[in-house]
Amino acid sequence: MIKAVLFDLIGTTIKTSDPDFVLTCFKKAFLQHGIEANSGILKINRGKNKLLMIQEVLKAQGLPFTNSIQILNSFNDVMHDGMVNFSEAEGVKEVFSFLSVKKIHIGVGTGLSESLFADIFNHLGWGKYNI
């Protein structure tokens, strides 16, 4: 008997109006700190914890980690400002409803911060599901 199902957030349970929205947010966050982030390094590190991802970009470009937290904060701000870009992926509502009726726990994993996930969660109205 299945007791729980774990989903990924961006690209699986939610979609963005622009497929590169998250990467664009990273680029904007780095630019706010005078750094042009390497797109290839960003793409390779997709899905990782965002602070680690930022540090990988800095490391690959030979830059110190001293402003990693500030870049992360900028990334979170840019993502928050773009909340309207997030929408539920097709069929997610039906799958979540089915799992909820069957009393199967729903988990959603992400490399985003807890506060950013909570904002997306609320934006999508997922409070009605057993997530």
Side-chain angles (χ1 to χ4, degrees):
M1 170 187 264
I2 297 174
K3 295 187 184 229
V5 178
L6 178 63
F7 297 92
D8 183 40
L9 185 65
I10 297 177
T12 304
T13 55
I14 66 167
K15 62 182 179 176
T16 55
S17 55
D18 170 8
D20 289 328
F21 175 70
V22 176
L23 293 178
T24 300
C25 290
F26 267 113
K27 287 180 182 181
K28 286 180 181 178
F30 276 100
L31 282 174
Q32 288 177 4
H33 297 273
I35 300 167
E36 190 164 331
N38 180 300
S39 295
I41 300 298
L42 286 170
K43 287 179 183 179
I44 289 170
N45 288 285
R46 270 185 147 149
K48 285 187 177 179
N49 170 284
K50 300 313 175 214
L51 181 58
L52 294 176
M53 188 174 172
I54 288 166
Q55 291 172 342
E56 287 295 324
V57 171
L58 293 172
K59 180 175 140 184
Q61 294 184 212
L63 299 169
F65 294 175
T66 51
N67 58 350
S68 299
I69 298 296
Q70 291 85 0
I71 295 169
L72 178 61
N73 290 337
S74 294
F75 169 76
N76 286 333
D77 290 344
V78 172
M79 289 281 285
H80 281 284
D81 292 344
M83 196 62 54
V84 297
N85 289 288
F86 296 112
S87 61
E88 203 169 67
E90 187 176 332
V92 167
K93 186 177 299 181
E94 294 80 6
V95 171
F96 282 1
S97 293
F98 174 82
L99 294 172
S100 292
V101 166
K102 296 290 184 181
K103 306 271 190 254
I104 297 172
H105 295 282
I106 302 166
V108 179
T110 182
L112 300 175
S113 70
E114 188 175 328
S115 68
L116 190 52
F117 172 75
D119 285 349
I120 293 169
F121 182 91
N122 292 329
H123 170 72
L124 297 174
W126 284 359
K128 60 189 168 215
Y129 304 117
N130 186 27
I131 298 177

